[in-house]
Amino acid sequence: MIYNGKEVPFPAVMQISFFKAIEALELMAKDTDQGVVNYALQLLKEVEKYPELKDGIGSIDQLKKYKKSIQKIGRILFPDALLTNEIKALTPPFYFEPIYTSTRFDNIVKASGKEFSYEMKDIDEDTFYLYCCYFILGSYYGYPAPGGGAMKLEIFNKDQGLMRTYKMLINADMCEFIPTKKAIDISREDFEELVDNFGDIKIWKKKFPPNSWIMKGVNIINLVDISLDQSMSSITSNLLVKSTDTFEKIQNSIRSLLNHPKLEMGVITLDQNKLVPLNKEQVRSIVLSKDEALDCKTDLCDYAYGQLLNKKEPLVISDVDYFHKRSESGLSEKLATSDFKSYLVAPLIHEEELLGFMELAAPGRYELNPGTMARLDEVLPVLAMAHKRFMTEDQNRIEAIIQQECTTIHHSVKWRFEQEAEKFMNQQFKNEQPVFKDIKFNNLYPLYGQMDIKGSSARRNEAVSKDLLKQINAIKKVLKYAFEHTKMPAYDELSFRLDNHKNELKRGLSAGSEHKILSFLKSEIYPIFDHLQRKDDYLKKLVDHYNTLLDPDLKTVYEERKKYDTSVNQINQRLASYLDEKQIVAQEMFPHYFERYKTDGVEYNMYIGQSISRDRKFDKIFLRNLRIWQLVVMCEMENEFRAMQKDLPMPIEIASLILVYNTSLSVHFRMDEKRFDVEGAYNARYEIVKKRVDKAHIKGTSERITQPGRLAIIYSQEQDAREYRKYLQFLAAKGYVKKGFEDLELEDLQGVTGLRALRVEVAYAENLTVDELIEAMEGSSSN
């Protein structure tokens, strides 16, 4: 085999063949499109003149007389539309002499100003030998072939005066490997030995002796230009590698790039309009010490601020002393007291986001100047990517600390946890004992709502009972037939015990009934079934029929309960998705904490107040808006449910409830339980009411306050009732609820007294949007 201009040992002997392309033409000749058929037949007629094009040609020198035919075949493999875009060549197997090329390939060779010859970069003869072995292992034996490094070659571009580097990809789909008598069959043990000795060429040559295989066909070569990657690789590798001396390696790379051995490099980042050192091991700033910061508005002169923050362009200070005389800013003061006489700050921008700045400083005047930036243009994007990676790693560490120390956090309060996590991380960085402090949010107004499935426990128990009864009846059919045909009293006794279980289910499912029945079936019935299946063909059919009634995963009848579970899941999914969608709008009014749960229905908590917001000022108008939003969304969710109710597998009703609590409270994230909870004994009353109020009855009756088609608003203070009466009157006028409402006193709950409720009937109709209602409500109030 000829490699890089000389004969070298190789595992396979080349045979140039277009048999795969000819087979494709033979398939095209059977196409339903007559035009395709005619084209294929015409080409087949031509190649039939030269059987060797299919059988194989041993030397590339023999291809000249087949040139026209090869060009026609090549057009099948290389579509004309891609000839100017892709750098492709058709070559003999592993013999890198093009026999058909794309237009773009030809243009690249022409631009070199000399005849083309493959000169592999970073691939020696042994590695080239191994490449062929890999292909044989994969294509012939089907073993997971070891990967080799990418083949590279260099082509000089005369016009640019540059050497271009290309990565070469070999497509061997048009080629096959044929073992000769010299070939050694590679067993699984041989394969494992080869993989274990991946770099030992002697062992590979022993398993794949030279010229022991025939490689028949052609290869398709794809070239990918990686010149820029190659030229930047030394700098990039230092930027992206993780080690204790990464920063020093980066600095040395920059020094090499700018040919300046005394150059110093630094990195500063942008945090809330302040320049601060990047909080990363071994990374330093030139002008700032570890705990220092520069305020962009007060410590930068107008020119520096305009360049760096407004224009996002480099600030080049060729003469530090002259710059200080003219600007006298915080930045110039620090530079003037340093040992550097020229300084450069370049923005690091990734995907249009300003992340921070790279600093360069030199001891002499004008050693850094505007011309320096010309060499840094290609480096800065890579630096920006590295900076982004550092920031992402820090953010991931913050996220990991939050997840470890807390739980999944709602985005409205996430900023507060990020602050604490950053403190935690900085304590770790300073080798201090880190402590993630408890987080509190004071003076918050709570809102609570739920849409609960009416009689969910009873409905579930009823569904379970029906399924168990069906399962028991199916078992009794098997036992009845077995008893009638064998007269064995054991089968009759089992039927008697099953009747007892049926009677128990008819009286109502009690705690433990399901488990007791299923345990009985597993221990007493199923062993009998195994015996009966082997005893009688008809009994086997009965048992097989019984098994078809069972859910394959639960191994029990799961029909009525599936209807119930599916109905509940559909309700929960639709209502929860609707609530989440509406929450996006609500968050735009004012940031507030929101959490929801899927149970037998949907329930949710909201907290709003100044301590939730990082930037915006809280006013009670936002609480009022959120309360109106809650009322409207509850009515809309009732409508959503009514629209889907008729399509549920099982008829189900829901009941809606809102709890009003006008006193602000404190919410505390408890580190031991990793959850939010209210703070203080008085505020704990709110949590007790939430858990028990949906079971409350109207005083003096057995009627629950929550009823299908009605919205119950639970309150304890008359001022709350006055506020919500206004809302209900307004919503009635807008068609959300029906006119008129009940004002009811509730029975005392355990630990809770004095609760009342406004209850109103929901109107099921088209309604205004939440925004329109709030706008109208505020307008009517101002009038």
Side-chain angles (χ1 to χ4, degrees):
M1 171 63 70
I2 302 299
Y3 177 69
N4 283 353
K6 63 179 181 179
E7 186 78 20
V8 296
F10 206 63
V13 177
M14 173 186 69
Q15 274 193 6
I16 305 166
S17 171
F18 299 90
F19 71 99
K20 290 274 189 178
I22 293 170
E23 288 172 359
L25 285 172
E26 290 170 350
L27 286 175
M28 290 169 64
K30 300 175 183 178
D31 199 277
T32 56
D33 188 326
Q34 191 58 43
V36 173
V37 171
N38 293 338
Y39 177 77
L41 289 173
Q42 184 180 356
L43 277 179
L44 285 171
K45 186 177 180 181
E46 180 167 341
V47 298
E48 283 173 359
K49 301 175 185 176
Y50 309 107
E52 53 269 40
L53 289 175
K54 185 175 183 179
D55 297 335
I57 301 167
S59 171
I60 194 170
D61 296 330
Q62 300 174 21
L63 294 180
K64 293 180 181 179
K65 71 173 183 176
Y66 313 112
K67 185 175 181 180
K68 290 184 179 180
S69 298
I70 291 173
Q71 287 179 339
K72 291 179 180 180
I73 295 173
R75 292 184 67 179
I76 299 174
L77 302 177
F78 296 179
D80 288 357
L82 301 178
L83 290 177
T84 57
N85 294 323
E86 297 183 346
I87 313 171
K88 302 169 76 78
L90 198 64
T91 71
F94 282 86
Y95 191 99
F96 301 112
E97 184 70 30
I99 56 179
Y100 185 79
T101 54
S102 68
T103 306
R104 187 174 178 195
F105 186 100
D106 294 335
N107 291 339
I108 290 172
V109 173
K110 184 179 179 181
S112 69
K114 58 181 180 180
E115 285 190 14
F116 173 76
S117 64
Y118 275 98
E119 292 291 336
M120 292 297 171
K121 181 177 174 61
D122 301 329
I123 300 290
D124 58 21
E125 294 176 15
D126 289 344
T127 304
F128 186 58
Y129 193 102
L130 289 173
Y131 266 106
C132 185
C133 299
Y134 302 157
F135 273 90
I136 297 171
L137 281 176
S139 64
Y140 186 83
Y141 288 104
Y143 292 130
M151 292 186 179
K152 298 175 185 176
L153 60 95
E154 293 182 339
I155 304 176
F156 184 74
N157 188 297
K158 187 177 180 180
D159 296 332
Q160 296 177 350
L162 298 172
M163 186 67 75
R164 310 296 297 179
T165 304
Y166 296 86
K167 179 168 66 174
M168 185 172 70
L169 307 174
I170 302 174
N171 183 336
D173 290 346
M174 308 297 293
C175 186
E176 70 175 6
F177 288 89
I178 304 168
T180 69
K181 293 180 179 180
K182 296 180 182 179
I184 298 173
D185 186 54
I186 304 298
S187 66
R188 181 71 193 188
E189 292 178 351
D190 292 326
F191 167 73
E192 292 173 359
E193 181 184 2
L194 288 168
V195 172
D196 288 338
N197 296 275
F198 184 78
D200 192 335
I201 189 64
K202 291 182 180 179
I203 293 179
W204 283 81
K205 285 186 175 181
K206 182 180 177 182
K207 303 293 183 181
F208 294 95
N211 302 328
S212 59
W213 290 77
I214 295 171
M215 46 186 182
K216 179 181 177 181
V218 288
N219 288 155
I220 297 175
I221 304 299
N222 291 273
L223 301 184
V224 180
D225 192 337
I226 57 169
S227 302
L228 180 60
D229 296 337
Q230 189 69 18
S231 62
M232 292 291 295
S233 62
S234 59
I235 294 176
T236 303
S237 61
N238 287 330
L239 282 168
L240 301 181
V241 73
K242 279 187 173 184
S243 65
T244 55
D245 59 349
T246 294
F247 185 79
E248 290 300 323
K249 289 181 178 179
I250 294 171
Q251 180 171 257
N252 290 334
S253 296
I254 297 294
R255 286 173 174 170
S256 177
L257 179 69
L258 298 179
N259 195 27
H260 198 308
K262 295 183 179 180
L263 198 68
E264 292 291 327
M265 176 188 169
V267 178
I268 49 179
T269 192
L270 192 62
D271 183 15
Q272 297 185 19
N273 215 36
K274 290 184 178 180
L275 299 177
V276 295
L278 184 65
N279 186 21
K280 207 71 179 170
E281 294 85 0
Q282 307 300 322
V283 180
R284 57 183 175 270
S285 167
I286 291 173
V287 296
L288 298 173
S289 59
K290 191 173 184 179
D291 296 318
E292 286 185 310
L294 286 175
D295 190 300
C296 294
K297 290 185 177 180
T298 58
D299 291 322
L300 298 182
C301 65
D302 291 342
Y303 174 73
Y305 188 94
Q307 284 291 106
L308 297 177
L309 279 302
N310 290 339
K311 296 181 181 178
K312 296 181 176 61
E313 293 179 359
L315 171 67
V316 182
I317 303 172
S318 301
D319 188 332
V320 165
D321 294 334
Y322 180 75
F323 177 76
H324 180 53
K325 289 178 184 178
R326 296 196 60 182
S327 70
E328 294 188 357
S329 61
L331 173 62
S332 69
E333 180 71 27
K334 287 188 171 296
L335 288 172
T337 56
S338 72
D339 296 328
F340 303 107
K341 296 302 179 183
S342 57
Y343 178 76
L344 182 153
V345 190
L348 300 176
I349 300 172
H350 180 69
E351 295 180 349
E352 300 183 353
E353 179 186 4
L354 178 60
L355 305 174
F357 303 89
M358 180 192 70
E359 300 171 281
L360 292 178
R365 295 169 59 248
Y366 286 92
E367 289 180 357
L368 294 173
N369 54 68
T372 306
M373 287 306 306
R375 295 188 182 181
L376 294 175
D377 283 343
E378 292 181 355
V379 177
L380 288 175
V382 184
L383 281 167
M385 288 176 63
H387 192 79
K388 180 66 174 179
R389 191 197 76 192
F390 294 153
M391 293 175 65
T392 301
E393 288 173 350
D394 281 352
Q395 186 63 33
N396 289 342
R397 288 181 65 192
I398 290 172
E399 292 286 350
I401 292 169
I402 292 174
Q403 293 295 328
Q404 175 186 329
E405 301 294 330
C406 312
T407 183
T408 303
I409 303 301
H410 189 256
H411 60 83
S412 62
V413 295
K414 191 176 179 182
W415 63 271
R416 180 65 186 84
F417 287 84
E418 288 177 342
Q419 283 184 341
E420 197 61 38
E422 189 169 356
K423 292 178 183 177
F424 188 100
M425 188 171 63
N426 287 336
Q427 288 172 339
Q428 288 180 323
F429 181 68
K430 295 176 182 178
N431 293 321
E432 299 174 0
Q433 184 63 39
V435 178
F436 200 100
K437 296 181 180 178
D438 287 0
I439 292 175
K440 296 180 182 179
F441 297 91
N442 298 318
N443 299 319
L444 298 182
Y445 294 92
L447 295 92
Y448 172 78
Q450 72 170 38
M451 301 188 78
D452 193 40
I453 292 174
K454 194 68 175 172
S456 58
S457 297
R459 298 301 296 274
R460 180 179 279 106
N461 288 345
E462 181 184 353
V464 171
S465 295
K466 286 182 177 179
D467 284 341
L468 287 174
L469 286 169
K470 182 172 183 177
Q471 190 166 349
I472 289 172
N473 288 333
I475 293 171
K476 281 176 62 64
K477 287 182 181 180
V478 179
L479 295 177
K480 180 182 178 182
Y481 180 87
F483 176 69
E484 289 174 350
H485 286 76
T486 65
K487 303 303 179 182
M488 292 179 65
Y491 301 142
D492 196 29
E493 189 270 340
L494 287 173
S495 292
F496 172 75
R497 292 165 67 183
L498 286 171
D499 285 334
N500 290 336
H501 286 304
K502 283 179 65 175
N503 293 331
E504 182 182 342
L505 288 172
K506 289 175 180 178
R507 290 192 296 270
L509 189 72
S510 59
S513 293
E514 181 183 9
H515 176 72
K516 181 172 64 175
I517 293 172
L518 293 177
S519 296
F520 168 68
L521 299 183
K522 185 176 181 181
S523 61
E524 302 283 348
I525 300 296
Y526 294 153
I528 298 295
F529 275 16
D530 291 340
H531 167 71
L532 293 176
Q533 286 185 96
R534 296 191 298 269
K535 184 178 179 64
D536 184 280
D537 289 341
Y538 186 72
L539 280 172
K540 183 179 186 306
K541 289 182 180 179
L542 289 176
V543 174
D544 288 343
H545 174 70
Y546 166 77
N547 288 329
T548 62
L549 299 177
L550 306 183
D551 180 89
D553 297 321
L554 300 177
K555 303 303 180 185
T556 184
V557 173
Y558 182 60
E559 294 178 1
E560 294 300 315
R561 188 151 51 99
K562 184 176 183 180
K563 292 178 184 178
Y564 177 81
D565 290 343
T566 302
S567 298
V568 171
N569 289 337
Q570 288 180 6
I571 292 169
N572 287 351
Q573 187 62 41
R574 185 155 174 178
L575 295 184
S577 297
Y578 189 86
L579 185 59
D580 290 345
E581 183 180 341
K582 291 296 181 180
Q583 251 295 300
I584 297 172
V585 177
Q587 290 292 339
E588 292 175 356
M589 299 178 193
F590 192 86
H592 57 276
Y593 181 78
F594 172 81
E595 59 181 358
R596 63 158 175 78
Y597 312 94
K598 293 180 184 178
T599 53
D600 282 342
V602 175
E603 62 177 293
Y604 59 90
N605 293 309
M606 295 187 291
Y607 298 97
I608 188 170
Q610 184 61 66
S611 59
I612 292 286
S613 175
R614 185 177 189 176
D615 304 311
R616 297 176 62 182
K617 183 174 177 57
F618 175 73
D619 189 279
K620 277 200 172 182
I621 188 64
F622 296 119
L623 172 62
R624 183 178 175 185
N625 282 349
L626 198 57
R627 285 176 169 174
I628 298 171
W629 173 90
Q630 183 185 27
L631 282 168
V632 172
V633 169
M634 292 292 279
C635 292
E636 289 180 344
M637 289 170 70
E638 282 273 2
N639 276 269
E640 284 289 307
F641 170 74
R642 180 60 63 90
M644 70 180 296
Q645 188 178 22
K646 63 181 181 298
D647 298 321
L648 295 173
M650 178 178 286
I652 284 180
E653 295 284 354
I654 65 168
S656 301
L657 174 146
I658 286 175
L659 176 61
V660 181
Y661 201 78
N662 201 33
T663 304
S664 63
L665 46 76
S666 296
V667 176
H668 178 195
F669 185 85
R670 301 191 180 280
M671 300 306 301
D672 53 347
E673 300 180 12
K674 290 182 171 49
R675 67 180 183 88
F676 277 106
D677 201 357
V678 294
E679 185 85 350
Y682 177 74
N683 292 333
R685 180 176 184 270
Y686 173 71
E687 292 295 320
I688 294 172
V689 174
K690 280 197 311 183
K691 293 176 181 177
R692 300 175 181 172
V693 70
D694 65 319
K695 305 293 191 299
H697 291 85
I698 300 172
K699 194 165 188 176
T701 73
S702 60
E703 181 186 347
R704 278 196 182 180
I705 187 60
T706 54
Q707 292 295 325
R710 298 181 182 185
L711 174 61
I713 303 167
I714 312 300
Y715 70 94
S716 59
Q717 299 183 31
E718 179 56 29
Q719 67 184 56
D720 296 332
R722 288 196 298 268
E723 180 180 348
Y724 274 83
R725 288 189 192 106
K726 293 178 183 177
Y727 297 158
L728 292 178
Q729 289 169 357
F730 182 72
L731 293 184
K734 296 299 182 181
Y736 270 84
V737 298
K738 294 185 178 180
K739 292 183 179 180
F741 48 82
E742 303 169 279
D743 196 342
L744 305 166
E745 187 177 356
L746 303 186
E747 293 279 6
D748 291 344
L749 302 173
Q750 183 180 355
V752 180
T753 60
L755 292 180
R756 297 186 64 88
L758 298 174
R759 193 167 70 177
V760 64
E761 193 172 348
V762 176
Y764 296 103
E766 295 293 328
N767 299 307
L768 296 172
T769 66
V770 176
D771 290 341
E772 289 172 337
L773 272 168
I774 292 174
E775 184 179 348
M777 184 72 181
E778 292 176 351
S780 65
S781 298
S782 62
N783 293 334

